[in-house]
Amino acid sequence: LEDADGDGTDDDPSTDSRGSWSEGDRVLRIDEGNLADPTILGTVAHEVRHAQQRKEVDDLPWWWWEDYDGPPGVSQAEVEEWRDNFDDYQTTEDDGFEAYRDQPVERDARETGGDYLDDLDRDDLDRIREEAR
């Protein structure tokens, strides 16, 4: 995320303060002010999950006789719920933080990011830090 004017805040306040996924230009943005915080990896996992959600929505079968072949643990009904949610996505400016937070795509991405962090141990963090150099 950008802070071109150097005032310490994101130039685009409509985006999450830690990160965002933009389907339009297919870019994951991370707030560079949080890079030293190891929990930023959960934000990356959360935003990557949004990219995967979009891909799964795009890959839904078009015809009733086609079989759904999504990722393990994700049902066709869940992906259809994501599709409907993306069609009526609520920002914090629309209906407040709770409406944003309780959306199916946000709940799923938040759980995915949290699970990713929960599965990391100190050795994983050290390896990731070393690989990032």
Side-chain angles (χ1 to χ4, degrees), residues 1-129:
L1 300 176
E2 303 212 6
D3 179 18
D5 60 8
D7 68 356
T9 61
D10 188 354
D11 293 339
D12 183 357
S14 68
T15 61
D16 179 291
S17 62
R18 291 180 58 88
S20 67
W21 169 255
S22 172
E23 185 66 16
D25 55 5
R26 303 191 52 76
V27 172
L28 185 146
R29 293 175 176 84
I30 297 298
D31 185 347
E32 64 186 29
N34 290 307
L35 292 178
D37 180 354
T39 65
I40 199 67
L41 296 172
T43 300
V44 172
H46 175 107
E47 300 305 338
V48 167
R49 182 60 168 200
H50 284 315
Q52 183 182 26
Q53 291 167 338
R54 292 287 191 164
K55 180 187 179 314
E56 295 307 320
V57 166
D58 289 346
D59 290 348
L60 276 171
W62 284 80
W63 307 103
W64 63 270
W65 62 81
E66 290 184 41
D67 291 328
Y68 174 71
D69 188 28
V74 178
S75 70
Q76 182 171 344
E78 186 173 13
V79 176
E80 289 170 354
E81 185 178 39
W82 293 345
R83 178 195 59 211
D84 296 344
N85 186 186
F86 283 132
D87 287 344
D88 187 31
Y89 187 82
Q90 303 297 304
T91 68
T92 56
E93 294 172 358
D94 293 329
D95 286 324
F97 184 73
E98 290 303 315
Y100 159 80
R101 183 177 169 79
D102 291 339
Q103 297 176 97
V105 295
E106 291 302 331
R107 282 193 316 263
D108 176 73
R110 197 169 48 253
E111 182 178 307
T112 299
D115 288 349
Y116 180 78
L117 282 180
D118 289 346
D119 290 342
L120 293 177
D121 62 19
R122 181 69 177 185
D123 291 338
D124 293 326
L125 290 174
D126 289 344
R127 177 185 49 78
I128 290 167
R129 182 176 286 129

